[in-house]
Amino acid sequence: MFFVFLVLSGTPEPPPGFVPFFVILSLVFLSVVLYSVFRLDLDQRKILPAQVVKTKGTVVFERPWGRWRSLVVDAEDGKRYLIKISPLRPFREGDIVEISGKSESFKLDFSKGFNESLYWKTKGVDKVLTSPRVTVVGSSGFSLSRWRRLLREKLLLSLPPNTRGYLLAAWLGVRDPVLQDAHARWGTSHILAISGFHVGLLVLLVAFFAKRAVWLQSIVLWLYVLASGAQVSAVRAAVMIQVFLLAKVVGRPSKALNTVCIASVLLLLIRPLWFWDLGFRLSVMAALTLSVVGAGSIAWRKLIVLPAVWFTTGVLISRSFGGVPIAGIIINMLAIPFFSFILPLGSFLAVFPVVFGGAGTWEYFVLPVEFLLSLWHNFADMIASILPVTVGAKFFPFPIVALMIMYFVYKRSWGAGLLSVSLSVCVAVFVALIDSILP
């Protein structure tokens, strides 16, 4: 903030209200920082010695984790536990389980590199249960977890492989390992992650049929976010869209850049640990780039927006996963329009086999979608084989990324005086902060 003050002090014509606006902005900024530090410190102070617990709860999440299978259980004692069990033991979302073992607090490490405890804390898990004993004692009634499980089973039993994998990802946020490896090779992993692409696509479809029914768009928006697992990237996108819808209701203009900033600040106020969630950082970085590079009607900006997103998100991906495929620049230019068409079409046609029966006659409804997806896989594999180069972290210098985004933010908000400079510098500082937590 002192840097912002120096920049503005050196401007030939400081905007009206320079000093009071700067003071208010500084106080708000300081309040947010102090609140976040307090929340993080409070979490660290809650670390207690291991305690023996025995309680009941509902399995709300399960996924493979190395040679284990991880369960997240919302227990009756008000805590959310992480339990690692053998992958051979059958547990499903919505199961009511009796659990016992030693309850241990997570020890957070904010240094560079992946930290498992920090990962699970960003998912809302309170404790890890060691030496666990888990027994299924029933199944929950009508609940979100049970509904997700039933829909997942329907998709698994009713659809052919490619269609099933994409709709599991788009509807429930469940990733098929085979598709995940393929999209990592193509540089299009974001297609399988619930983000602004999926959320925005759904709201656009609802708005097409009910343009003025903002209340209906809002209900569908949040129902979808909850059904898909309420991943932080989806919540960020939903908050952005909700701010835009509210602005439309009250008759106020809305800018994408403003909604990105509002959504990010609100989410970090709710849970400061989300800053260390890779999905959150990728989502915000992509949204910032789209809002400042792709905004306006200048033709050359439209052409470079997807390569710009590839470059700015490549900073995070290369440092987290070792590299980014060059082929992703080309593939993404075609992936966005292709999946904007195929996901709604596949979702509509999949209703028939999912609702009216399993594999058999109804499966023929989605065979055209399966065929188109197979063609897409062949095309993406061809491009990836022609451009098999993967670039590492050194290809994405953070200072250049920060300055690039800062420049576009400033140009996008040109004429706003103090606000444009403050916003651009704050965004650049946010990008620079990301660098401090990456390996």
Side-chain angles (χ1 to χ4, degrees):
M1 295 305 295
F2 180 68
F3 176 66
V4 176
F5 180 79
L6 291 179
V7 170
L8 294 173
S9 298
T11 55
E13 296 181 6
F18 162 65
V19 174
F21 189 93
F22 175 79
V23 171
I24 294 174
L25 188 65
S26 300
L27 290 175
V28 171
F29 179 80
L30 181 62
S31 301
V32 171
V33 170
L34 291 177
Y35 173 78
S36 300
V37 170
F38 172 76
R39 285 282 303 275
L40 294 174
D41 182 64
L42 192 63
D43 286 342
Q44 290 292 78
R45 290 176 181 272
K46 288 181 180 178
I47 296 179
L48 301 172
Q51 298 176 327
V52 177
V53 298
K54 184 176 181 181
T55 183
K56 288 183 180 180
T58 303
V59 178
V60 295
F61 180 75
E62 55 91 14
R63 61 159 292 177
W65 191 265
R67 62 190 183 92
W68 302 98
R69 191 155 198 87
S70 293
L71 303 179
V72 175
V73 177
D74 275 350
E76 292 179 348
D77 60 7
K79 292 186 172 58
R80 176 171 284 191
Y81 292 96
L82 169 67
I83 305 172
K84 294 181 181 179
I85 58 171
S86 167
L88 301 177
R89 300 186 63 187
F91 291 96
R92 301 177 298 177
E93 290 185 25
D95 285 343
I96 297 177
V97 294
E98 188 174 83
I99 59 175
S100 61
K102 288 185 177 180
S103 170
E104 297 182 0
S105 300
F106 289 105
K107 297 179 181 178
L108 302 184
D109 180 7
F110 297 98
S111 61
K112 295 183 177 182
F114 178 76
N115 179 261
E116 183 181 347
S117 298
L118 191 54
Y119 170 84
W120 287 111
K121 284 291 288 184
T122 62
K123 305 300 182 187
V125 179
D126 301 303
K127 304 279 186 178
V128 59
L129 206 62
T130 59
S131 304
R133 294 177 62 88
V134 187
T135 307
V136 177
V137 295
S139 182
S140 59
F142 182 77
S143 66
L144 179 61
S145 298
R146 181 176 172 81
W147 182 86
R148 279 172 50 86
R149 185 188 82 190
L150 293 175
L151 182 56
R152 181 177 180 177
E153 292 172 353
K154 280 282 189 178
L155 289 171
L156 288 170
L157 295 173
S158 306
L159 302 176
N162 290 328
T163 307
R164 176 179 66 220
Y166 283 106
L167 293 189
L168 278 171
W171 291 10
L172 300 175
V174 177
R175 300 191 191 186
D176 181 279
V178 176
L179 287 182
Q180 190 169 358
D181 291 341
H183 279 272
R185 189 170 65 252
W186 304 331
T188 55
S189 296
H190 58 92
I191 297 295
L192 299 178
I194 304 292
S195 60
F197 171 69
H198 301 82
V199 177
L201 190 60
L202 176 66
V203 174
L204 282 175
L205 289 172
V206 176
F208 179 79
F209 295 101
K211 186 175 182 180
R212 297 188 177 183
V214 174
W215 62 271
L216 179 60
Q217 296 172 34
S218 299
I219 291 174
V220 173
L221 167 68
W222 289 106
L223 284 178
Y224 173 65
V225 170
L226 290 174
S228 62
Q231 299 176 29
V232 63
S233 55
V235 175
R236 191 276 311 159
V239 173
M240 273 189 63
I241 294 172
Q242 189 64 71
V243 170
F244 171 78
L245 292 175
L246 290 175
K248 186 164 65 171
V249 169
V250 299
R252 298 286 296 175
S254 177
K255 292 184 178 180
L257 178 59
N258 294 345
T259 57
V260 172
C261 296
I262 292 171
S264 303
V265 170
L266 286 177
L267 291 180
L268 290 177
L269 284 173
I270 294 170
R271 185 173 292 171
L273 281 171
W274 268 336
F275 183 78
W276 282 267
D277 185 279
L278 180 61
F280 172 80
R281 300 198 305 273
L282 281 171
S283 176
V284 172
M285 189 75 84
L288 279 173
T289 308
L290 286 169
S291 64
V292 299
V293 179
S297 57
I298 303 175
W300 67 267
R301 284 194 175 191
K302 302 297 183 184
L303 293 175
I304 70 166
V305 62
L306 288 179
V309 172
W310 178 88
F311 185 75
T312 54
T313 56
V315 176
L316 302 172
I317 298 170
S318 63
R319 299 195 178 198
S320 299
F321 301 107
V324 182
I326 290 286
I329 300 176
I330 297 174
I331 297 175
N332 272 295
M333 289 184 177
L334 299 172
I336 300 301
F338 175 78
F339 283 99
S340 296
F341 164 76
I342 206 69
L343 287 179
L345 177 64
S347 296
F348 173 72
L349 294 178
V351 170
F352 297 96
V354 168
V355 174
F356 298 110
T361 305
W362 293 106
E363 188 177 348
Y364 289 108
F365 275 82
V366 295
L367 287 184
V369 175
E370 186 73 7
F371 174 71
L372 291 174
L373 288 172
S374 298
L375 288 180
W376 168 260
H377 287 189
N378 292 334
F379 166 77
D381 277 330
M382 180 186 70
I383 299 297
S385 63
I386 295 173
L387 295 171
V389 180
T390 299
V391 294
K394 292 183 179 179
F395 186 82
F396 304 96
F398 246 105
I400 292 178
V401 175
L403 288 172
M404 185 185 80
I405 296 180
M406 178 178 174
Y407 168 77
F408 277 108
V409 171
Y410 183 75
K411 295 294 288 185
R412 181 73 187 101
S413 54
W414 184 260
L418 174 65
L419 183 60
S420 64
V421 178
S422 302
L423 189 58
S424 59
V425 173
C426 289
V427 168
V429 170
F430 173 80
V431 176
L433 281 175
I434 293 176
D435 182 41
S436 68
I437 64 174
L438 291 176

